[in-house]
């Protein structure tokens, strides 16, 4: 640690709480959490008061009146709900929930054949996985800013990466990563495409958190020294895994540089511990940097191994194998202690690692990391150009494009605003440098915080969203399980202003705030993009092939193209449904009682379901999505003959 703990403590941060950290065990940190939550309530009133002032003075700027649209999309993960959400900013309204790794009858996700093919099935036809845990979502870039084409999100539970289309806000691909568990951090390439045929971001980087025996096939369970962790690179187009890099320790979040040269992941367990005391034993952990071009050259030159059944090239990024900077694939920059989060500044110069168990943020200069790789910097630690004290439990940092950083303080339940240049000057020895500019209470225990366009070269410094992990008394009580609080701050001024709270169903982690004009969604689908579309009344038929029956249906408000369809008990039935309505927003549903069939078709969209007709009787297939004055009458009879 840099030993400057007592310097520059902002009056808004109670220095008394500092003693919770240092070398205390996790039990101490957990105690700090409770104590901090309890002591918060007196501060709440003040914060609520300032929110009211902000709302009354700047009312027009934040309110989105009836009939008006939000100026930003918040594209947010949904945590262990397995989904992704779209919210409006500044209203905080939930606009859409996108099923990704979960099952969602509203859409029919996990029910239709098309979604099941994306999620992946086992040889017996069952879904391979039906649950997931999304944490980090990032978009495709062009010229250093979002192009609105794609978004990628991780699944920590089953080690997958999914892609969401920006024109439909639906999941179109899911890839399972080999050889890893706890796939946590994820970030897309920010460099401009190098391949002319590819008009968007070309790579997605993913950091795995849990180390496992390699291969993980029942060998070496009791030999942690044989455990390993891999950093993964995917091709953004094909979503195939390009390569993996084995490292020491484990990974947490991922950041990428704007020039495509460096990717990095913070590491809280350089100790390779398998119990939490072990994971906290060292005073310093690291931020590991990947020299992407060298790794890709090594893969091209065949300098890799493979693990188990996987064909993915694995290069060796462990410290011992990378001692010579001039050939190193990785660089381990030491930072204090169990850092959480690594975030890139929008000027492209720095990555900031938040200390979590240290009250500091480490500012790492990317030019100096590149210098180390060129053999011109003595030690990786020399790439750290600032390490300001910001408060207790710093987790994630966002930027406003005016040189300020905003760090979430989990234990202090605050957002602290600090100057990057001020911190660098202070680190160089300028005792008068102004580092901490402001701090504000949030409610409570913030995890991620993110600014409008803050992860692009066009940060506009207008809004900061604090994703709070505890809501306690902020909303009507709804039983033991509480909702989470997202709080929006106006960051246009010197002082931050709390604008409003909105609820978040547990539990979103990270999000990005994207300017509304960047997103270009479609109003309807195109019939021709579905090879199985039922295009005309003549194509609406029932075909039998042995015990396989294919019912080809159309919907057009307020009717399906067939009033009834007969099958025999035991038939394997496929129903393909094309929605012929062309009007925006005219979605139909299709539900079959007792058969677990429930999905929607949007205008000009085709979907299909397959099931065994194992129950004889009459089953009213009905439209589940209100579409017309005769919506209730919109139904057909499925007759299953005994
Ligand atoms: S981690 S609360 Cu999954 Cu993004 Cu930091
Ligand atoms: Cu069609 Cu309701
Ligand atoms: Ca550690």
């Amino acid at each position: 640690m840099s030993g400057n703990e007592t310097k520059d403590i902002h009056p808004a941060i109670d220095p008394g709480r500092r003693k919770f950290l240092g070398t205390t065990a996790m039990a101490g940190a957990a105690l700090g959490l409770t104590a901090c939550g309890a002591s918060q309530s007196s501060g709440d009133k003040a914060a609520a008061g300032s929110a009211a002032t902000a709302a009354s003075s700047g009312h027009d700027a934040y309110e989105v009146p009836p009939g008006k649209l939000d100026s930003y999309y918040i594209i947010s993960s949904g945590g262990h709900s397995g989904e992704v959400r779209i919210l409006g900013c500044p209203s905080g309204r939930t606009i859409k929930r996108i099923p990704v790794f979960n099952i969602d009858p509203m859409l029919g996700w996990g029910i239709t054949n098309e979604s099941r093919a994306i999620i992946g099935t086992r040889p017996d036809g069952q879904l391979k996985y039906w649950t997931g845990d999304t944490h980090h979502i990032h978009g495709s870039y062009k010229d250093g800013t979002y192009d609105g084409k794609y978004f990628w999100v991780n699944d920590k539970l089953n080690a997958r990466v999914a892609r969401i289309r920006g024109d439909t806000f639906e999941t179109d691909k899911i890839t399972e990563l080999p050889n890893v568990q706890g796939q946590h951090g994820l970030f897309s390439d920010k460099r401009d495409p190098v391949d002319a045929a590819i008009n968007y971001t070309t790579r997605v980087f993913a950091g795995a958190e849990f180390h496992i025996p390699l291969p993980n096939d029942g060998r070496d369970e009791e030999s942690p020294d044989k455990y390993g962790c891999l950093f993964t690179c995917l091709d953004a187009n094909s979503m195939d895994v390009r390569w993996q890099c084995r490292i020491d320790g484990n990974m947490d979040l991922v950041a990428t540089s704007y020039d495509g040269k460096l990717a990095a992941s913070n590491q809280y367990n350089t100790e390779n511990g398998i119990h939490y005391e072990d994971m906290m034993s060292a005073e310093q952990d690291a931020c590991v940097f990947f020299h992407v071009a060298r790794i890709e050259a090594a893969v091209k030159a065949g300098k890799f191994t493979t693990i188990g059944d996987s064909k993915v090239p694995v290069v060796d990024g462990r410290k011992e194998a990378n001692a010579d900077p001039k050939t190193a694939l990785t660089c381990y920059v030491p930072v204090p202690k169990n850092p959480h989060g690594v975030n890139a500044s929008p000027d492209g110069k720095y990555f900031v690692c938040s200390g979590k168990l240290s009250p500091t943020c480490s500012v790492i200069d990317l030019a100096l990391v590149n210098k180390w790789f060129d053999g011109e910097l003595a030690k990786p630690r020399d790439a750290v150009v600032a390490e300001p004290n910001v408060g207790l439990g710093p987790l994630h940092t966002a930027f406003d494009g005016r040189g300020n950083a905003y760090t979430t303080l989990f234990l202090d339940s605050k957002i602290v605003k600090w100057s990057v240049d001020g911190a660098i000057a202070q680190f160089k020895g300028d005792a008068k440098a102004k580092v901490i500019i402001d701090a504000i209470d949030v409610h409570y225990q913030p995890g991620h915080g993110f600014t409008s366009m803050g992860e692009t070269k066009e940060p506009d410094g207008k809004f900061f969203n604090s994703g709070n992990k505890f809501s306690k008394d902020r909303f009507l009580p709804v039983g033991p399980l509480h909702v989470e609080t997202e709080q929006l701050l106006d960051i246009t001024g010197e002082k931050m202003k709390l604008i409003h709270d909105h609820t978040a169903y547990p539990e979103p982690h990270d999000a990005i705030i994207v300017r509304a004009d960047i997103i270009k969604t479609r109003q309807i689908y195109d019939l021709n993009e579905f090879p199985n579309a039922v295009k005309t009344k003549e194509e609406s038929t029932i075909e039998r092939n042995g015990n396989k029956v294919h019912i080809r249906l159309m919907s057009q408000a307020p009717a399906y193209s067939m009033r009834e369809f007969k099958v025999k008990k035991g038939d394997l039935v496929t129903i393909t449904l094309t929605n012929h309505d062309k009007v925006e927003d005219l979605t139909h549903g299709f539900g079959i009682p007792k058969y677990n069939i429930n999905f929607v078709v949007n205008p000009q969209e085709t979907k299909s379901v397959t099931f065994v007709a194992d129950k004889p009787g009459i089953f009213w297939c009905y439209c589940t999505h209100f579409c017309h004055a005769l919506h209730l009458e919109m139904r057909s009879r499925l007759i299953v003959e005994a």
Side-chain angles (χ1 to χ4, degrees):
M1 253 188 246
S2 61
N4 57 350
E5 266 110 330
T6 51
K7 270 188 227 161
D8 195 51
I9 295 169
H10 190 269
I13 296 167
D14 171 10
R17 296 198 202 148
R18 288 272 155 90
K19 62 179 177 288
F20 283 116
L21 284 184
T23 53
T24 47
M26 199 51 158
L31 255 174
L33 187 165
T34 334
C36 163
S39 72
Q40 198 71 46
S41 41
S42 59
D44 290 348
K45 297 203 181 75
S50 73
T53 324
S56 53
S57 61
H59 195 74
D60 296 344
Y62 315 130
E63 174 140 344
V64 181
K68 290 278 184 294
L69 304 181
D70 280 294
S71 35
Y72 299 87
Y73 288 83
I74 297 183
I75 303 174
S76 172
S77 65
H80 50 86
S81 72
E83 64 184 19
V84 159
R85 290 124 189 207
I86 313 291
L87 292 83
C89 171
S91 75
R93 298 184 286 213
T94 301
I95 301 172
K96 189 170 191 181
R97 292 168 51 186
I98 306 169
V100 185
F101 302 114
N102 57 331
I103 306 294
D104 185 349
M106 190 287 289
L107 197 69
W109 194 252
I111 296 170
T112 62
N113 294 325
E114 293 74 20
S115 62
R116 294 165 66 84
I118 293 169
I119 299 167
T121 51
R122 305 187 309 214
D124 68 358
Q126 295 299 307
L127 284 178
K128 190 165 181 201
Y129 304 110
W130 49 86
T131 172
D133 183 17
T134 63
H135 283 224
H136 302 112
I137 183 154
H138 293 289
S140 50
Y141 284 76
K142 182 105 206 316
D143 300 328
T145 193
Y146 301 123
D147 65 5
K149 288 201 170 139
Y150 286 112
F151 301 92
W152 291 274
V153 67
N154 76 306
D155 169 20
K156 181 166 170 174
L157 189 66
N158 292 314
R160 291 175 291 172
V161 174
R163 187 173 73 185
I164 291 166
R165 287 170 59 148
D167 62 343
T168 59
F169 279 123
E170 292 197 2
T171 308
D172 82 333
K173 277 191 192 264
I174 294 178
T175 298
E176 184 175 356
L177 311 186
N179 310 321
V180 296
Q181 251 175 48
Q183 193 325 90
H184 190 185
L186 171 144
F187 218 110
S188 36
D189 228 333
K190 297 201 201 92
R191 68 165 179 182
D192 270 1
V194 285
D195 181 342
I198 299 165
N199 62 356
Y200 57 88
T201 306
T202 56
R203 298 170 297 198
V204 177
F205 300 96
E209 194 174 345
F210 305 150
H211 48 330
I212 49 171
L214 296 171
N216 190 23
D217 58 3
R219 272 178 269 185
D220 301 326
E221 287 153 355
E222 298 305 333
S223 329
D225 54 311
K226 299 229 173 78
Y227 286 27
C229 236
L230 303 173
F231 185 74
T232 301
C233 174
L234 295 103
D235 183 299
N237 298 287
S238 65
M239 288 288 284
D240 293 337
V241 176
R242 278 162 79 131
W243 47 261
Q244 295 184 301
C245 178
R246 184 167 180 176
I247 56 135
D248 290 310
N250 66 351
M251 283 165 285
D252 199 3
L253 263 83
V254 172
T256 55
S257 67
Y258 281 90
D259 59 10
K261 287 186 183 161
L262 297 172
S265 184
N266 62 297
Q267 303 187 284
Y268 63 83
N269 186 20
T270 48
E271 301 92 337
N272 272 324
I274 50 174
H275 304 298
Y276 72 67
E277 298 86 346
D278 310 329
M279 300 183 199
M280 291 188 298
S281 59
E283 280 306 309
Q284 280 188 328
D285 284 290
C287 184
V288 57
F289 282 82
F290 299 88
H291 193 300
V292 178
R294 280 188 197 163
I295 292 174
E296 302 213 319
V299 171
K300 221 172 177 181
K303 291 187 206 146
F304 61 80
T305 53
T306 56
I307 297 171
D309 301 335
S310 158
K311 304 229 162 12
V312 171
V314 178
V315 297
D316 192 349
R318 286 174 290 183
K319 261 191 203 161
E320 229 179 78
N322 293 278
D324 179 3
K326 290 202 160 162
T327 56
L329 307 180
T330 52
C331 170
Y332 294 73
V333 176
V335 295
K337 165 172 193 175
N338 287 36
H340 185 87
V342 54
N343 297 91
S345 65
D347 58 10
K349 290 190 194 159
Y350 308 110
F351 283 2
V352 173
C353 253
S354 309
K356 190 167 80 185
L357 298 190
S358 157
T360 54
C361 281
S362 305
V363 181
I364 303 168
D365 186 331
L366 301 192
L368 295 177
V369 174
N370 281 321
K371 240 178 147 179
W372 182 86
F373 276 120
D374 292 341
E376 289 162 17
L377 191 76
K379 303 189 298 302
R381 174 71 196 172
D382 296 342
V384 174
V385 293
E387 210 151 69
N389 272 286
V390 293
L392 289 191
L395 291 189
H396 294 282
T397 299
F399 303 89
D400 64 5
R402 298 186 297 269
N404 301 307
Y406 299 77
T407 300
T408 54
L409 301 177
F410 184 81
L411 297 180
D412 274 333
S413 277
K414 283 179 196 294
I415 307 303
V416 56
K417 172 181 177 182
W418 53 280
S419 154
V420 177
D421 283 345
I424 293 171
Q426 182 194 58
F427 197 75
K428 281 194 188 132
D430 177 356
K432 287 206 205 86
K434 190 163 164 56
V435 180
I436 307 290
I437 295 167
D438 190 25
I440 189 169
D441 286 335
V442 289
H443 312 87
Y444 307 88
Q445 272 85 33
H448 276 274
F450 35 92
T451 48
S452 42
M453 296 299 286
E455 296 189 273
T456 73
K457 285 195 164 168
E458 307 181 308
D460 59 23
K462 289 196 178 141
F463 294 107
F464 175 95
N465 187 98
S466 176
N468 305 326
K469 297 296 184 193
F470 292 77
S471 68
K472 293 179 187 145
D473 48 9
R474 299 300 280 191
F475 304 109
L476 287 175
V478 286
L481 176 64
H482 287 246
V483 75
E484 293 187 65
T485 342
E486 302 276 315
Q487 289 186 304
L488 200 64
L489 307 183
D490 176 337
I491 55 165
T492 53
E494 170 98 348
K495 293 189 85 58
M496 296 172 274
K497 274 194 269 182
L498 176 62
I499 303 169
H500 69 76
D501 292 9
H502 58 270
T503 59
Y505 189 63
E507 64 156 9
H509 284 246
D510 199 6
I512 52 178
I513 306 182
V514 180
R515 239 179 30 238
D517 63 278
I518 291 171
I519 305 287
K520 304 256 187 307
T521 57
R522 298 163 60 175
Q523 295 181 317
I524 62 171
Y525 284 91
D526 177 351
L527 212 65
N528 297 311
E529 69 193 281
F530 303 95
N532 58 341
V534 185
K535 288 191 177 156
T536 59
K537 197 106 190 138
E538 290 65 48
E539 288 183 13
S540 178
T541 53
I542 305 179
E543 289 157 29
R544 176 175 284 279
N545 188 351
N547 72 336
K548 286 191 184 142
V549 180
H550 192 176
I551 298 164
R552 308 187 75 228
L553 266 185
M554 293 158 38
S555 62
Q556 191 151 28
Y560 299 114
S561 53
M562 282 184 251
R563 289 170 184 226
E564 59 182 52
F565 17 90
K566 259 185 210 157
V567 301
K568 294 196 186 72
K569 188 185 169 204
D571 281 345
L572 182 68
V573 180
T574 296
I575 296 178
T576 301
L577 174 60
T578 299
N579 183 0
H580 276 250
D581 277 304
K582 285 199 182 105
V583 182
E584 181 180 12
D585 208 3
L586 218 170
T587 294
H588 295 287
F590 193 82
I592 311 178
K594 311 297 180 192
Y595 274 98
N596 274 320
I597 300 294
N598 189 4
F599 65 99
V600 297
V601 274
N602 295 296
Q604 302 285 295
E605 188 181 31
T606 299
K607 283 180 185 166
S608 67
V609 288
T610 299
F611 58 95
V612 178
D614 55 1
K615 291 171 280 286
I618 298 291
F619 302 91
W620 285 103
C621 304
Y622 71 99
C623 180
T624 53
H625 202 96
F626 213 108
C627 55
H628 190 275
L630 292 171
H631 156 76
L632 290 178
E633 289 79 353
M634 184 169 175
R635 45 190 161 122
S636 300
R637 282 195 307 164
L638 166 67
I639 302 164
V640 182
E641 295 176 327

